[in-house]
Amino acid sequence: MVTPEHTCPWGLKTLDLLKREGYEVEDHQLTSRDEIDAFKAKHGVDTTPQTFIEGVRVGGYDDLRAYFGKETKDKDAVTYKPVIALFAMAALMALAASWAAFGNLFTVAAGEWFIAIAMCLLALQKLKDVDGFATMFLNYDLLAQRWVRYAYVYPFAEGLAGVLMIAGALMWLSIPVALFIGTIGAVSVFKAVYVDKRELKCACVGGDSNVPLGFVSLTENLMMVAMAVWMLLKPMGMGLGH
């Protein structure tokens, strides 16, 4: 589909895949709604693009990937990719900040920043759709099940604690907030997964997450608890990054 209002991204990806596989492509662009509807009716399909190899219809983009023996994405499959990407980015940002501040990658501050930045990034994922996060969170969080509004407060509390810890400011506020939400979260996840043996999706990276509840969410909460305890045990007067 190439119309004045829309160029089909799947069509562009299909063309690219075919060319990378060494095929010469005869591209038939559908440039109007009438052409699109006529094409769908003729071939009995609901979507475009459609690929034909030597006159035989292969199908859409995912069908073409399968035809070439490539992995196809299952939208319902559980995955850890969003969490891996998030923590990797948090680590790189922390190392970059440490290098900029101290001329050294591996410092105590880098470890502190890593946790604080990860908290901010995790909060950001939840804040994209607070209602969606809250709906998923209510499946397992013990406090949210008793006080529903807590599910809506949680992302803001996590983000606030993370920002304050990065700044090394108002530690009298950020430490108890992180300790409170982290402890409740860790207990809730442990009960749901390891005691009740429930199979749930984790709300840690937002309401549309396909990340399974368990180790990742438990780690998120334990990191907040560890960070809060660490900041309490640090010598008085030493802010984050010193």
Side-chain angles (χ1 to χ4, degrees), residues 9-10 27 37 46 48 56 59 64 66 69 84-85 105 108 123 131 140 155 165 167 174 179 186 196 211 220 238:
W10 303 107
D27 184 20
D37 292 341
D46 296 322
T48 62
V56 178
L64 186 62
I84 294 171
L105 288 175
V108 172
D131 191 60
Y140 57 87
M165 286 180 170
S174 63
L179 190 60
D196 298 338
V211 176
E220 174 192 5
M238 290 182 65

Side-chain angles (χ1 to χ4, degrees), residues 5 40 50 55 84 91-92 100 111 125 144 147 162 186-187 212 217-218 220 222 229 234 240:
E5 298 81 19
K40 290 179 178 180
Q50 292 292 320
I84 294 171
L92 291 172
Q125 294 300 308
W147 181 43
V187 171
S217 187
L218 187 60
E220 174 192 5
L222 291 178
V229 172
K234 286 182 69 172
L240 183 63

Side-chain angles (χ1 to χ4, degrees), residues 149-165:
R149 298 311 300 173
Y150 175 66
Y152 293 86
V153 171
Y154 185 98
F156 296 94
E158 183 177 33
L160 175 65
V163 169
L164 292 178
M165 286 180 170

Side-chain angles (χ1 to χ4, degrees), residues 126 132-133 136-137 140 201-207 209 211 213 217 220:
K126 299 173 179 70
F133 160 76
M136 190 178 291
F137 193 58
Y140 57 87
K201 291 181 180 179
C202 177
C204 56
V205 289
S209 164
V211 176
L213 181 68
S217 187
E220 174 192 5

Side-chain angles (χ1 to χ4, degrees), residues 91-107 109-110 113 117 241:
L92 291 172
M93 292 173 68
L95 293 173
S98 178
W99 181 265
F102 308 113
N104 189 355
L105 288 175
F106 303 104
T107 62
W113 280 326
I117 291 171

